[in-house]
Amino acid sequence: MFLLTPALVAVVCILIVWVFKNADRSLETKKEEAQARPWVDEDLRDSTDLLQEEEDVDEWQESEESVEHVPFSHTRYPELEMKMRSQEFYELLNKRRSVRFISSEQVPMEVIANVIKAAGTAPSGAHTEPWTFVVVKDPDVKHKIREIIEEEEEINYKRRMGDRWVTDLKKLRTNWIKEYLDTAPVLILIFKQVHGFAANGKKKVHYYNEISVSISCGILLAALQNAGLVTVTTTPLNCGSRLRLLLGRPSHEKLLMLLPVGYPSKEATVPDLKRKALDQIMVTI
Amino acid sequence: MFLLTPALVAVVCILIVWVFKNADRSLETKKEEAQARPWVDEDLRDSTDLLQEEEDVDEWQESEESVEHVPFSHTRYPELEMKMRSQEFYELLNKRRSVRFISSEQVPMEVIANVIKAAGTAPSGAHTEPWTFVVVKDPDVKHKIREIIEEEEEINYKRRMGDRWVTDLKKLRTNWIKEYLDTAPVLILIFKQVHGFAANGKKKVHYYNEISVSISCGILLAALQNAGLVTVTTTPLNCGSRLRLLLGRPSHEKLLMLLPVGYPSKEATVPDLKRKALDQIMVTI
């Protein structure tokens, strides 16, 4: 009878509800975390973003240090030449297509070095230059990369995706077989450094590292097109950590993109797609 | 006495704890949401990312539709020419600097159109082309943009940032005065479309929209440099919504970057900075 006093019942009930709600909540919190940025590699979810909050800058200052300013030297073209140059640049880039059929023919490494040097001229938040370009030529390493990606892709396609995905998949004419990872003479894996290290060993914030590295990849794509090489922009899902470990990159570097690079194979095809017209992407005020 | 039966006490206690825990939780959830991606504009935090989870693709398919494949036509250069072209492209881009001192001299609009057309050739997840380039020439609108940005910047600098920020600020030689927003003849505001609309009016996922638009901006920066124009990459903080409303853009478009574009002013200076050497950014395997 003592056990059923109102007070004791109250305490027991409070405890039970408390425990249940906490369990429930921790489950949901995990779910939220998992969904927070699903489009990026899972091991990107570290504390870096939080660190940045108090330190975000709106201008991409070229340095965090007080550095001397020097006169800016500029090359100005006559107006007619500006128009011609900009027209030709557009026409060159407009021929770029994502090509999935890449020949095994070797490409000059001097050209690869030059396109990566070009990519390295991109602006970056606080001039942190938070990029690492891993150029893989070794056939065994390329094949291991292919195995890792195809393994994860097959799991993605078969288990993680629903029926809707399978339908979309047919339309997309794709599957988890990535032959170009073996055939392309060069794979460029682009890592973003989510933070750096200050002189005292402390973490140094890399402002806007993902945007900076993506800008750098835009320049890389332009440089490849300019040199007459082809590629396809890929963002391997769920295998960032495995590829990072395979390539011996440190944990503050996260895979952002993988570009297989080479000449197109003789029978290369591309989907017959159009780009939006200027008036669909530009508004003038 | 009836009121104090053990059963009733139990029910009341369960209710009280339930209500308290829920209140507590909703507060924390809001906090988590607010911190989830602090480096992006606050109104970016919509449901788009969640939608993407089940649909992420690793290859940037050119379309979601089943489209015909056509032979890919390629321009191949002799090896020596590839080397020269890639070297010259690097040298051209290596002269690019972020320039904050922009002349008020008008620039040819044909060139602006061409550089945006070039940016529009960027690859995008599932060929969604999720970008809008708003070109602002109107002096009044430019001035309103300046007012909005400086107002938010001043709040950022004075209130949101701590002492550490003020110290960094001195080093950065910056403040919340953005004269270039008035003087530059053209401001290009780049919006990412976080989703689109399918034929039936439903939301259509825009895979990797931020990365896609950033790649597009990389190409835009290269195109501007190629044309002999200067800019500085800026990401205005906390004013994405106000600028979006000012420019009449729909709510599924979010401001990613703002580029003031023009010729450098005669007395333009830049910080005397170096870029990382190739062996600091490239690893070969």
Side-chain angles (χ1 to χ4, degrees):
Chain A
M1 286 308 99
F2 172 73
L3 284 170
L4 279 173
T5 59
L8 203 60
V9 168
V11 168
V12 169
C13 288
I14 286 168
L15 276 173
I16 289 169
V17 178
W18 189 274
V19 166
F20 265 91
K21 290 295 286 181
N22 267 337
D24 178 37
R25 187 175 141 200
S26 99
L27 246 173
E28 293 203 19
T29 306
K30 270 183 195 151
K31 219 168 129 195
E32 274 162 26
E33 275 169 14
Q35 295 191 329
R37 298 175 63 200
W39 47 279
V40 290
D41 203 281
E42 59 200 350
D43 62 355
L44 283 175
R45 290 180 201 106
D46 55 25
S47 58
T48 320
D49 287 347
L50 298 185
L51 268 173
Q52 288 183 329
E53 184 166 52
E54 55 173 309
E55 306 184 74
D56 268 356
V57 286
D58 84 312
E59 265 192 37
W60 290 25
Q61 300 297 334
E62 299 266 342
S63 168
E64 290 181 279
E65 305 302 316
S66 171
V67 288
E68 278 308 300
H69 270 237
V70 293
F72 171 64
S73 93
H74 180 62
T75 306
R76 180 165 173 167
Y77 309 106
E79 200 167 305
L80 195 67
E81 196 179 336
M82 286 178 80
K83 290 179 185 173
M84 268 182 45
R85 288 179 68 92
S86 60
Q87 176 69 25
E88 282 166 7
F89 192 72
Y90 160 65
E91 284 170 9
L92 170 74
L93 291 192
N94 198 33
K95 291 187 199 134
R96 190 200 58 78
R97 293 298 307 263
S98 294
V99 176
R100 290 170 189 80
F101 305 96
I102 299 178
S103 152
S104 60
E105 188 183 346
Q106 292 300 310
V107 295
M109 285 310 289
E110 189 182 322
V111 174
I112 298 299
N114 281 341
V115 296
I116 289 177
K117 276 157 75 178
T121 68
S124 54
H127 195 52
T128 45
E129 301 171 279
W131 37 67
T132 305
F133 300 89
V134 181
V135 175
V136 180
K137 295 192 302 176
D138 184 297
D140 294 338
V141 179
K142 283 197 297 169
H143 192 67
K144 275 183 197 146
I145 290 173
R146 179 177 177 176
E147 282 176 346
I148 289 172
I149 291 178
E150 288 186 351
E151 209 177 294
E152 291 293 333
E153 284 293 287
E154 190 175 348
I155 296 172
N156 281 335
Y157 283 16
K158 288 195 172 162
R159 201 173 57 198
R160 296 186 190 138
M161 314 294 186
D163 285 348
R164 174 157 167 214
W165 175 257
V166 177
T167 317
D168 281 354
L169 188 64
K170 281 184 194 151
K171 288 189 197 159
L172 289 170
R173 297 174 159 224
T174 190
N175 53 38
W176 57 88
I177 306 303
K178 313 279 178 196
E179 205 183 320
Y180 53 67
L181 294 173
D182 269 328
T183 62
V186 166
L187 305 180
I188 305 180
L189 290 95
I190 299 115
F191 289 82
K192 57 180 189 182
Q193 298 161 0
V194 295
H195 67 80
F197 296 97
N200 59 7
K202 277 194 172 179
K203 280 187 185 181
K204 192 179 125 199
V205 177
H206 277 181
Y207 308 97
Y208 301 100
N209 64 78
E210 187 167 286
I211 295 175
S212 305
V213 181
S214 299
I215 288 175
S216 165
C217 287
I219 296 175
L220 181 59
L221 292 173
L224 286 167
Q225 174 67 10
N226 176 68
L229 293 173
V230 297
T231 189
V232 51
T233 313
T234 77
T235 45
L237 287 176
N238 304 311
C239 35
S241 315
R242 287 177 72 188
L243 294 175
R244 180 174 68 72
L245 292 170
L246 174 70
L247 302 173
R249 300 313 304 162
S251 63
H252 68 286
E253 293 189 4
K254 312 291 182 186
L255 184 66
L256 183 67
M257 271 175 236
L258 184 157
L259 302 179
V261 171
Y263 300 105
S265 63
K266 283 209 178 70
E267 62 285 356
T269 59
V270 289
D272 190 17
L273 291 170
K274 302 284 171 258
R275 295 198 164 107
K276 287 181 182 169
L278 184 62
D279 62 7
Q280 289 179 282
I281 64 170
M282 186 174 95
V283 178
T284 310
I285 293 175
Chain B
M1 283 309 100
F2 173 74
L3 283 168
L4 278 172
T5 59
L8 202 63
V9 168
V11 168
V12 169
C13 289
I14 286 169
L15 276 173
I16 289 168
V17 177
W18 190 273
V19 166
F20 264 91
K21 290 295 285 180
N22 268 338
D24 177 36
R25 188 173 141 199
S26 100
L27 247 172
E28 294 205 16
T29 307
K30 271 184 197 150
K31 217 167 129 194
E32 274 163 26
E33 274 168 15
Q35 294 193 330
R37 297 175 64 199
W39 48 281
V40 290
D41 202 282
E42 58 201 349
D43 63 354
L44 283 174
R45 290 181 203 107
D46 57 24
S47 58
T48 320
D49 288 347
L50 298 184
L51 269 174
Q52 291 185 327
E53 184 167 53
E54 54 173 310
E55 307 184 73
D56 267 357
V57 287
D58 82 314
E59 264 192 37
W60 289 25
Q61 301 297 334
E62 297 267 340
S63 168
E64 289 182 279
E65 304 302 315
S66 172
V67 288
E68 280 307 302
H69 271 236
V70 293
F72 171 64
S73 94
H74 180 63
T75 306
R76 179 164 173 167
Y77 309 105
E79 201 168 305
L80 195 66
E81 197 179 336
M82 287 177 80
K83 290 180 186 174
M84 265 181 47
R85 289 179 66 92
S86 60
Q87 175 70 26
E88 282 166 8
F89 192 72
Y90 159 65
E91 284 169 9
L92 170 73
L93 291 192
N94 198 34
K95 289 186 201 135
R96 190 200 58 75
R97 293 299 306 266
S98 294
V99 176
R100 291 170 189 79
F101 306 95
I102 299 178
S103 151
S104 60
E105 189 184 345
Q106 291 300 310
V107 295
M109 285 312 287
E110 189 181 324
V111 174
I112 298 298
N114 281 340
V115 296
I116 289 176
K117 277 157 77 179
T121 69
S124 55
H127 195 53
T128 45
E129 303 171 279
W131 36 69
T132 305
F133 300 89
V134 181
V135 175
V136 180
K137 295 193 300 177
D138 184 295
D140 293 338
V141 180
K142 283 196 296 170
H143 192 67
K144 275 182 197 146
I145 291 173
R146 179 178 176 174
E147 281 176 346
I148 289 172
I149 292 178
E150 288 186 350
E151 208 176 296
E152 290 293 333
E153 284 293 287
E154 190 175 348
I155 296 172
N156 281 334
Y157 284 15
K158 288 195 174 159
R159 200 171 60 195
R160 295 185 191 138
M161 314 295 187
D163 285 347
R164 174 156 167 216
W165 176 259
V166 177
T167 316
D168 281 355
L169 188 63
K170 281 186 197 152
K171 289 189 196 162
L172 290 170
R173 294 171 160 228
T174 190
N175 55 40
W176 56 87
I177 306 303
K178 313 278 179 198
E179 205 184 319
Y180 53 68
L181 294 172
D182 270 327
T183 62
V186 166
L187 305 181
I188 305 180
L189 290 94
I190 298 116
F191 288 82
K192 57 180 190 184
Q193 299 161 359
V194 295
H195 66 79
F197 296 97
N200 59 6
K202 277 193 173 179
K203 279 187 185 181
K204 191 179 126 201
V205 176
H206 277 180
Y207 308 98
Y208 301 99
N209 64 77
E210 185 167 288
I211 294 176
S212 305
V213 182
S214 300
I215 288 175
S216 166
C217 287
I219 296 175
L220 181 59
L221 291 174
L224 287 167
Q225 174 67 10
N226 176 69
L229 293 173
V230 298
T231 188
V232 52
T233 313
T234 75
T235 46
L237 288 175
N238 304 312
C239 35
S241 317
R242 288 177 72 188
L243 293 175
R244 181 175 67 72
L245 292 170
L246 174 71
L247 302 173
R249 302 311 305 161
S251 63
H252 67 288
E253 294 189 2
K254 312 290 180 185
L255 183 66
L256 184 65
M257 270 176 238
L258 184 158
L259 303 180
V261 172
Y263 300 105
S265 62
K266 283 210 178 74
E267 60 287 355
T269 58
V270 289
D272 189 18
L273 291 169
K274 301 286 170 256
R275 295 198 165 107
K276 286 181 182 170
L278 184 62
D279 62 6
Q280 289 179 283
I281 65 171
M282 184 174 96
V283 177
T284 310
I285 293 176

